[in-house]
Amino acid sequence: MPERVRIFDTTLRDGEQTPGVSLTKEEKLTIARKLDEFGVDTIEAGFPVASEGEFEAVKAIAGEGLDAEVCGLARCVRRDIDAAVEAGVDCVHVFIATSDIHLKHKLEMSREEALERAVEGVEYAKEHGVTVEFSAEDATRTDPDFLLEVYKATVEAGADRINVPDTVGVMTPPRMYRLVRRIVDALDVPVSVHCHDDFGLAVANSLAAVEAGAEQAHVTVNGIGERAGNASLEQFVMALKALYGLDLDVRTEMLVELSRLVERLTGVVVPPNAPIVGENAFAHESGIHSHGVIKCAETYEPIRPEDVGHRRRIVLGKHAGRHAIKKKLEELGIEVDEEQLREIVRRVKELGDKGKRVTEEDLEAIARDVVGEVPESEAAVRLEELAVMTGNRVTPTSSVRVRLKGEERSAAATGVGPVDAALRALREAIEELGLDVELREYRLEAVTGGTDALAEVVVKLEDEEGNVVTARGASEDIVMASVRAFVSGVNRLVQRREEG
Ligand code: KIV
Ligand code: ZN
């Protein structure tokens, strides 16, 4: 293992080769500044000969006075190298393909010609006083003996570093290890790797290369790049730090910020389950995991979210446990007793079973609803069942079944709408209570967006003695939320009358 590994970031070059991605000069500058602040060793700013705009962007980055080495890509062609040098880069990354498949079908060149062009390219770039990194494109599908011959010749021609691209991502970690080991042993300049992610092995292959002695790896933020992309900066850096214990001089706490910036400017969305920077990288849903993490984060987190600028989230859904819900309620400043907590957990799971992710606002609404309720054991009315039929060609009809002071009662009614029908049926079912309840106010609010949003209904009820109560009901079903609010209000009125 080398003592230090250089981070060569190619977000602005290979990353920009992601299908559909094109960055403006200003956007490239913004990313370059952030990469520099983060602490990468090299920023490959672009391919200067590609276009006027690309040249200007590389030139602007090279002129920024960044701490990082600024590099420009060039084929082993004089005008490419001239463009890079003219853009003012510190390093020119020259490359030529060396695999037979590329030589035959793309370059239509013999191995000897390619070798000659590689040497000429490196020599020409060196004449301009810049650092030169040489890449044998498609190195991992190149005959290894010829590959070594090319690398040795380019080092002799003055290359300061040589890079081993796994251009189509076909390596496996053991094969990468063996190849890089052989190259490292044969050369006396730093060896770098550039791994593509066609089989999802780019980071694993880069790490295997480091184990074999590679002193640098090419990476991109969020792993963007040609086809399936490149080795991801955030995964590679954190694996080196956390799994290999390597001391890198980078500000890992900026990783999420960097990732979000690149996501926003490139439009390439980071999947929620992306390692390190994905929205779910530190989210816990199952009761068992949440409980563990609440007690000791290390139980289910291999690194601390704050070390990469992320945050831990306890997600509530059907797998949520009472510990997670209790913790969340504490955070929201809502105090509950055991019975209330049990009811809140039941409702959260019920929503989860319906495929809904319970947001903080949902939980707050449920909790407010439950906390405001008369305890079940003391409630005069308990809703057992509610059914509603509605539509454009039927009269809204509802039937309810309740437990009234322990006795089962049911009733049915029609109304101008489903809520009206349900409340009429409910009033009939609780008639024996002898309450004359007036609905003074009815307010309906969607707690969160979407058609599956939790609805919160607030009702103000008044009885014939002038007692006024306000009660809430929350449910993803508006009728259910209305009935819950009404039942809760009635129970409070009964309680108030009994208390005198
Ligand atoms: O994937 C590749 O081979 C490259 C080279 C230009 C290094 O991006
Ligand atoms: Zn590449």
Side-chain angles (χ1 to χ4, degrees):
M1 285 285 290
E3 270 176 24
R4 194 173 181 283
V5 175
R6 293 187 87 253
I7 306 297
F8 180 114
D9 184 275
T10 181
T11 306
L12 299 176
R13 199 277 296 168
D14 213 324
E16 209 197 2
Q17 288 171 221
T18 304
V21 171
S22 177
L23 298 165
T24 64
K25 180 170 109 182
E26 275 313 316
E27 289 169 339
K28 280 193 153 207
L29 260 170
T30 306
I31 294 174
R33 288 187 197 117
K34 210 37 104 191
L35 285 168
D36 192 50
E37 202 184 327
F38 170 75
V40 300
D41 296 283
T42 300
I43 295 171
E44 188 167 41
F47 191 9
V49 83
S51 73
E52 190 55 36
E54 182 77 343
F55 175 83
E56 290 302 332
V58 176
K59 190 171 167 194
I61 294 168
E64 269 289 290
L66 304 176
D67 289 333
E69 173 188 82
V70 176
C71 179
L73 183 70
R75 289 166 298 180
C76 289
V77 171
R78 285 187 173 222
R79 69 183 184 95
D80 283 30
I81 297 166
D82 288 342
V85 171
E86 233 176 275
V89 296
D90 309 302
C91 167
V92 179
H93 173 197
V94 289
F95 78 100
I96 190 163
T98 50
S99 67
D100 289 338
I101 189 164
H102 275 238
L103 290 175
K104 182 172 173 206
H105 299 288
K106 188 181 82 178
L107 298 179
E108 295 178 12
M109 216 183 256
S110 66
R111 286 185 181 185
E112 292 68 32
E113 276 176 287
L115 178 64
E116 206 176 303
R117 291 278 288 277
V119 168
E120 277 171 15
V122 171
E123 279 174 352
Y124 185 68
K126 271 316 282 182
E127 280 170 23
H128 294 81
V130 288
T131 297
V132 174
E133 177 162 328
F134 170 76
S135 274
E137 192 188 10
D138 208 16
T140 54
R141 289 193 301 176
T142 300
D143 166 16
D145 292 332
F146 176 57
L147 184 66
L148 265 184
E149 196 185 332
V150 174
Y151 283 146
K152 280 182 182 159
T154 47
V155 169
E156 218 162 279
D160 299 285
R161 299 190 291 260
I162 68 97
N163 180 47
V164 185
D166 184 21
T167 303
V168 287
V170 290
M171 290 303 261
T172 60
R175 288 181 57 219
M176 198 66 180
Y177 181 93
R178 287 195 294 273
L179 177 66
V180 171
R181 183 90 239 180
R182 197 172 156 199
I183 297 168
V184 166
D185 286 346
L187 304 177
D188 54 10
V189 296
V191 172
S192 165
V193 288
H194 174 108
C195 299
H196 276 275
D197 210 26
D198 298 68
F199 289 90
L201 292 172
V203 172
N205 288 334
S206 305
L207 293 170
V210 170
E211 283 191 37
E215 290 176 60
Q216 176 182 281
H218 288 200
V219 291
T220 61
V221 177
N222 299 337
I224 60 172
E226 283 276 1
R227 305 182 310 284
N230 292 64
S232 106
L233 166 85
E234 55 281 3
Q235 293 170 30
F236 182 67
V237 161
M238 289 316 293
L240 283 183
K241 275 199 90 143
L243 308 180
Y244 289 79
L246 233 69
D247 189 18
L248 295 174
D249 197 13
V250 291
R251 295 181 57 192
T252 60
E253 69 281 4
M254 284 180 63
L255 281 170
V256 169
E257 186 189 346
L258 199 48
S259 162
R260 302 260 155 94
L261 174 72
V262 170
E263 178 182 43
R264 182 166 62 78
L265 296 183
T266 60
V268 181
V269 177
V270 175
N273 62 338
I276 315 292
V277 292
E279 190 51 33
N280 292 347
F282 297 92
H284 309 273
E285 191 193 299
S286 89
I288 297 167
H289 285 219
S290 305
H291 184 201
V293 164
I294 288 165
K295 284 192 142 177
C296 167
E298 263 176 78
T299 51
Y300 288 103
E301 283 175 1
I303 51 174
R304 300 185 314 169
E306 55 270 33
D307 289 347
V308 297
H310 217 315
R311 68 195 164 97
R312 177 175 306 122
R313 274 189 317 125
I314 303 292
V315 178
L316 303 179
K318 71 173 174 186
H319 303 110
R322 51 192 298 285
H323 288 96
I325 294 176
K326 192 168 175 211
K327 175 98 193 324
K328 201 87 191 177
L329 289 168
E330 279 166 13
E331 280 168 23
L332 292 169
I334 301 173
E335 275 179 40
V336 293
D337 61 27
E338 276 305 307
E339 195 183 331
Q340 289 164 339
L341 180 62
R342 218 176 306 122
E343 176 60 11
I344 294 168
V345 172
R346 191 192 66 71
R347 289 206 202 169
V348 166
K349 283 177 181 284
E350 189 179 86
L351 280 177
D353 273 337
K354 290 175 184 163
K356 191 162 162 39
R357 186 166 150 172
V358 183
T359 65
E360 227 166 59
E361 290 82 3
D362 291 336
L363 179 67
E364 213 177 327
I366 293 170
R368 272 205 304 258
D369 183 5
V370 171
V371 170
E373 277 177 2
V374 174
E376 204 176 295
S377 48
E378 297 163 28
V381 185
R382 213 172 75 197
L383 180 70
E384 297 275 324
E385 207 177 292
L386 167 79
V388 189
M389 188 175 66
T390 189
N392 61 344
R393 286 174 186 272
V394 289
T395 306
T397 308
S398 173
S399 64
V400 296
R401 189 159 59 81
V402 296
R403 206 155 263 285
L404 199 63
K405 300 203 162 168
E407 300 288 320
E408 200 172 288
R409 297 283 178 270
S410 36
T414 57
V416 292
V419 173
D420 186 45
L423 293 184
R424 279 175 190 271
L426 182 64
R427 280 173 186 276
E428 214 175 302
I430 63 169
E431 210 176 2
E432 283 171 41
L433 286 176
L435 281 179
D436 185 8
V437 184
E438 281 266 4
L439 180 60
R440 285 268 168 246
E441 217 177 287
Y442 174 91
R443 214 169 63 236
L444 169 68
E445 281 161 23
V447 179
T448 42
T451 51
D452 64 347
L454 202 68
E456 189 173 28
V457 169
V458 181
V459 293
K460 196 187 252 182
L461 306 182
E462 186 175 354
D463 68 8
E464 72 283 6
E465 293 173 6
N467 294 309
V468 179
V469 294
T470 301
R472 297 167 186 278
S475 169
E476 74 285 13
D477 179 319
I478 294 168
V479 184
M480 191 66 192
S482 309
V483 171
R484 271 193 182 145
F486 198 88
V487 168
S488 174
V490 166
N491 280 327
R492 281 208 229 167
L493 279 176
V494 173
Q495 194 180 45
R496 190 157 309 171
R497 286 157 75 116
E498 282 173 358
E499 284 165 4

